[in-house]
Amino acid sequence: GAGVSQTPSNKVTEKGKYVELRCDPISGHTALYWYRQSLGQGPEFLIYFQGTGAADDSGLPNDRFFAVRPEGSVSTLKIQRTERGDSAVYLCASSPPSSSRNQPQHFGDGTRLSIL
Amino acid sequence: GESVGLHLPTLSVQEGDNSIINCAYSNSASDYFIWYKQESGKGPQFIIDIRSNMDKRQGQRVTVLLNKTVKHLSLQIAATQPGDSAVYFCAENINSGGGADGLTFGKGTHLIIQP
């Protein structure tokens, strides 16, 4: 079946611009996660959705970052007034509903964001 | 700090040999651990997971060992193949009681398979 889909795969923009990154989770997965991965590092948690609501946004670095999931499926990560330090690969993951809080997260291939 | 780390940034093994990738974690509240494989330009791919009430779990050609006494996690890959070349990450889920499920990743070990 289809995995997690992220678009665009690459995004190049100028400092100060606004960007939106899209994530289509695996069908039926209720939990959705955003991570950011810098070169040579492991992914860093940004935000977690359970259904439509952000259950944990403690990883968002500042108020320029915002994410939504209005219908409990597709999610958009929005970054305002981009800075060169925002350059990274932004990864999305999803996991299925379960009575156990611990389920494997399945990742997309990410959006490589480059801020010039 | 509270983080998951790896002992070696690069591990080189001969094709056909067994590989062991190690990981140390510092948070005793962690109750769930996952190993991921990441190839260049791709997202992390789930390999195997283990819960803190277990000390060993086996999959196809892979085994994960968890030693909670010394906060150590390892991934064993049997009969390593060229397709196993990738960066391997361990990740933990800290049971903070608040329902947060974001994973904490280490920096990764680059596994290189020598022919």
Side-chain angles (χ1 to χ4, degrees):
Chain A
V4 176
S5 175
Q6 292 188 248
T7 55
S9 55
N10 285 281
K11 176 72 176 177
V12 181
T13 192
E14 294 179 342
K15 177 175 175 293
K17 298 292 187 184
Y18 168 82
V19 296
E20 288 190 353
L21 312 179
R22 176 187 169 106
C23 173
D24 281 88
I26 294 171
S27 178
H29 282 196
T30 54
L32 183 146
Y33 311 80
W34 284 99
Y35 292 81
R36 177 169 72 174
Q37 186 174 26
S38 300
L39 191 63
Q41 304 291 317
E44 293 178 292
F45 169 72
L46 296 176
I47 186 169
Y48 154 55
F49 287 89
Q50 185 61 256
T52 59
D56 181 6
D57 64 358
S58 62
L60 295 178
N62 51 60
D63 62 4
R64 295 187 296 106
F65 288 74
F66 189 71
V68 295
R69 195 185 185 200
E71 297 177 359
S73 179
V74 171
S75 176
T76 304
L77 178 66
K78 308 180 181 193
I79 311 174
Q80 298 177 319
R81 305 183 303 281
T82 51
E83 300 176 358
R84 292 197 177 90
D86 299 335
S87 297
V89 175
Y90 288 82
L91 293 163
C92 178
S94 68
S95 63
S98 172
S99 57
S100 166
R101 58 182 282 279
N102 290 323
Q103 290 294 321
Q105 296 177 22
H106 300 274
F107 285 81
D109 287 337
T111 293
R112 183 176 299 277
L113 178 64
S114 300
I115 308 299
L116 305 180
Chain B
E2 294 179 349
S3 64
V4 176
L6 291 163
H7 294 307
L8 293 173
T10 302
L11 176 65
S12 184
V13 298
Q14 291 292 125
E15 182 179 347
D17 286 352
N18 297 336
S19 302
I20 300 176
I21 301 172
N22 294 303
C23 179
Y25 65 96
S26 58
N27 197 319
S28 57
S30 297
D31 65 350
Y32 180 59
F33 304 87
I34 309 180
W35 281 100
Y36 284 95
K37 171 187 179 183
Q38 188 173 29
E39 296 173 292
S40 180
K42 300 287 188 183
Q45 176 188 355
F46 170 79
I47 301 173
I48 192 167
D49 60 358
I50 189 167
R51 289 171 171 74
S52 60
N53 61 353
M54 304 171 69
D55 53 21
K56 180 179 180 179
R57 192 164 187 222
Q58 288 184 290
Q60 186 178 11
R61 280 203 306 121
V62 295
T63 301
V64 56
L65 299 176
L66 175 63
N67 185 330
K68 293 182 287 294
T69 302
V70 295
K71 297 191 185 69
H72 185 267
L73 190 70
S74 68
L75 176 70
Q76 300 177 4
I77 305 174
T80 313
Q81 303 169 357
D84 294 330
S85 290
V87 176
Y88 289 80
F89 292 98
C90 62
E92 64 179 327
N93 193 343
I94 300 170
N95 185 0
S96 63
D101 283 351
L103 296 172
T104 300
F105 283 78
K107 288 195 172 112
T109 292
H110 186 192
L111 180 63
I112 298 171
I113 312 302
Q114 303 282 1

